[in-house]
Amino acid sequence: MKWIYNLSKILLLGTFVMFANSCEEQWDLKDGGSLEAQVYPPTSVNFVRGETENVTVNFKPFVNPGKTILSVSVYKKLETSLGMSAEVLTEEVSGDTFTQTKEELFADVPVNGEVLDENDLGPGDAWKLRYVMKMGDGKELNVTTMTTVPFTCVSDLGGEYDGVTNWIEYYGNPGTDSYSTTLAAVGGGEYTLEDLSGGMEPIVWGNPPVEATIKDICGKITLVKADYFYAYFITEGRVEADGTIYIKWRNAYDENGETWLTPQ
């Protein structure tokens, strides 16, 4: 049985050598050699319209003994509903972090030949960042993790407003009303509007106001619901730069109007 004991020792020794080698020469990201180094950037960093002035990515590098990361090449592209930019080498980073200002994020990734800004973007648009490490021995190693920088908006329209509505009623007669109203936040960028008709239904027809739920998506106002005797629609809606809300509406009888809500 001695040969079995010796064979066991050989197998155990072989396993130990393989384990030791695996600690020193792990998975190579490019060609199956050693994992000389790696960086671990975040998978997502938000860009918030009106709030974000720069975006920073921390690489969190790991380097095996005797190895050196000379730099990290950052490749960037911008994907939008208007189209997609080409991927460009946007920066060679020699430190542990990559930072670009709002202007730099847009500058080198034009879409359809035009450099965009945050007013051109909407939900679903995003920058994509890809990384390549340049090692001290001349090797270039691809980084497995990419970073997405999605464009988002924060909605904060709840509060008191001075309203003005101009309308055309069923018989073609114009009317107007000035009033105070409240937008009550219900979450997710949605708000309760006290009267979508802006006073027309109560003033002209003696009907109840048209209570509605509207939604703000990056400054675009849409109708979620308006439970009324007949259908109401928002055909156009937006938030102006000064915070004024503009709503163009109509109903099933083709009565229509325009409403301006100015924050108090």
Side-chain angles (χ1 to χ4, degrees):
M1 305 296 280
K2 183 177 180 180
W3 67 274
I4 297 178
Y5 173 72
N6 290 336
L7 179 59
S8 298
K9 288 200 297 182
I10 292 171
L11 292 174
L12 181 61
L13 177 61
T15 301
F16 174 77
V17 171
M18 291 174 60
F19 176 76
N21 287 339
S22 70
C23 291
E24 295 177 1
E25 298 189 2
Q26 301 174 43
W27 178 40
D28 185 326
L29 305 172
K30 185 177 181 182
D31 56 15
S34 64
L35 176 59
E36 300 181 3
Q38 184 58 286
V39 295
Y40 299 96
T43 57
S44 181
V45 179
N46 284 338
F47 183 103
V48 182
R49 189 180 73 173
E51 295 186 10
T52 298
E53 294 299 325
N54 58 72
V55 167
T56 297
V57 172
N58 190 330
F59 291 136
K60 298 181 181 178
F62 163 80
V63 184
N64 267 319
K67 306 298 180 180
T68 303
I69 300 175
L70 293 181
S71 64
V72 177
S73 301
V74 182
Y75 293 84
K76 179 178 66 179
K77 64 180 176 179
L78 176 57
E79 300 178 353
T80 80
S81 60
L82 301 173
M84 182 187 304
S85 76
E87 184 183 64
V88 299
L89 172 59
T90 189
E91 193 169 331
E92 290 275 359
V93 181
S94 57
D96 293 347
T97 59
F98 163 72
T99 298
Q100 284 196 334
T101 65
K102 176 169 57 178
E103 291 73 21
E104 290 171 331
L105 284 168
F106 286 100
D108 54 359
V109 282
V111 173
N112 299 324
E114 181 182 356
V115 175
L116 306 182
D117 61 36
E118 61 183 325
N119 295 317
D120 298 311
L121 301 190
D125 297 343
W127 290 266
K128 299 292 180 67
L129 305 178
R130 180 175 66 86
Y131 313 100
V132 176
M133 295 181 295
K134 291 188 176 181
M135 305 301 297
D137 59 6
K139 287 185 180 179
E140 292 191 358
L141 301 179
N142 294 311
V143 177
T144 56
T145 302
M146 295 179 62
T147 301
T148 299
V149 184
F151 179 83
T152 62
C153 303
V154 174
S155 181
D156 186 21
L157 301 182
E160 304 297 317
Y161 288 81
D162 292 322
V164 176
T165 297
N166 298 325
W167 64 74
I168 303 293
E169 47 95 285
Y170 181 76
Y171 295 104
N173 300 311
T176 188
D177 189 28
S178 298
Y179 51 92
S180 293
T181 190
T182 301
L183 279 184
V186 295
E190 296 185 1
Y191 302 86
T192 298
L193 178 63
E194 294 175 323
D195 187 2
L196 179 56
S197 78
M200 184 199 71
E201 291 286 357
I203 292 172
V204 175
W205 308 114
N207 289 333
V210 183
E211 183 175 313
T213 301
I214 62 174
K215 187 176 183 69
D216 167 35
I217 305 176
C218 290
K220 181 180 179 181
I221 301 297
T222 57
L223 180 63
V224 177
K225 64 177 181 177
D227 297 327
Y228 205 62
F229 307 125
Y230 35 84
Y232 263 81
F233 311 91
I234 289 179
T235 57
E236 183 180 350
R238 63 181 180 270
V239 182
E240 306 285 4
D242 63 357
T244 298
I245 299 171
Y246 170 76
I247 297 174
K248 188 174 184 179
W249 54 266
R250 67 180 180 86
N251 64 24
Y253 290 97
D254 210 30
E255 296 176 310
N256 61 88
E258 294 180 294
T259 295
W260 291 265
L261 303 176
T262 303
Q264 291 183 357

